[in-house]
Each structure stands twice: as C-alpha cells, then as structure tokens.
Amino acid sequence: MPRSALDTEEAKQAQMEALRGAGSGALKWGAAAAFLGGLGYAMSPIYRGLTVQFKVYLQMSSMILGGMIGADSRMRRYEQHIRTQRMIARDMAMWQDLAEDVEPPPSASKK
C-alpha cells in the first residue's frame, strides 16, 4: 500500500509524462533560442556586445520556459486521456449492470 498519493502507480505515470513533456519542450525552445542567438550574433552588434554570462542566461531562461510549457501541455493531454479512460470504464460497468438486470432469470424445469 502506498504511503502517500505520490507513491501510486498513476502518480508515477503522471510524473513520467510531465518529465517527457519538460524534456521535449526544453529541447524545442533551447534549439529555437540557439538559432536566434546565432542569428543575433551574426546580425546584431548589440547582441555581440553582451557578456557571455548574459547570453547563457538567455539560453537557460528559454529552455526553462520551454520545459514548463511542455510539461504543462503534456500533463493536460495525459489528464484528458485518463478522464476519457475512466469515463469509458464507468460506462462499460453501467451497461454491464444494465445487461445483467435485463436478462430473464433461468426458468426452473417443470415436471
């Protein structure tokens, strides 16, 4: 038996989904920021004049923001999927109970 709500299998699956979303979001936004950084370095004397620390800060900020957005998006899709699965299971149980109620009782053989 799990000690807390975070130790359940469903919570662990949700954590993995958030981790996948954060990784993909950070990768996408990091690649976009690197492209824009290269473009800024090639075209902008202002960007070339920035310190290395500030350029790293800009890159890290975009990756962190992308990770948060990606994790949130993936978690929303996962929550919707879980809600749909629970609704399907609940409907199937309801129809199964209804089918059992409709079936006629077995007739006793008459002598």
Side-chain angles (χ1 to χ4, degrees):
M1 184 167 155
R3 293 184 199 172
S4 72
L6 296 177
D7 290 339
T8 64
E9 188 62 33
E10 187 175 304
K12 288 180 183 178
Q13 286 179 331
Q15 291 168 2
M16 286 305 296
E17 286 294 320
L19 183 63
R20 287 185 193 110
S24 67
L27 186 64
K28 283 190 246 181
W29 283 65
F35 174 74
L36 291 174
L39 194 64
Y41 189 79
M43 300 181 85
S44 173
I46 296 172
Y47 187 81
R48 280 192 296 264
L50 296 176
T51 63
V52 173
Q53 293 87 351
F54 191 67
K55 291 176 188 175
V56 169
Y57 168 75
L58 291 174
Q59 181 72 27
M60 286 176 45
S61 297
S62 65
M63 291 179 73
I64 290 169
L65 177 66
M68 291 187 318
I69 291 171
D72 184 58
S73 173
R74 188 86 177 231
M75 278 301 296
R76 287 177 185 261
R77 285 196 312 257
Y78 178 73
E79 288 171 358
Q80 183 62 39
H81 173 73
I82 293 298
R83 277 193 217 105
T84 303
Q85 293 299 320
R86 286 182 180 167
M87 184 181 68
I88 290 170
R90 188 175 52 241
D91 287 349
M92 285 178 57
M94 181 190 68
W95 281 107
Q96 195 172 32
D97 287 344
L98 191 61
E100 289 172 1
D101 290 343
V102 171
E103 288 179 10
S107 59
S109 61
K110 296 182 182 180
K111 292 185 180 182

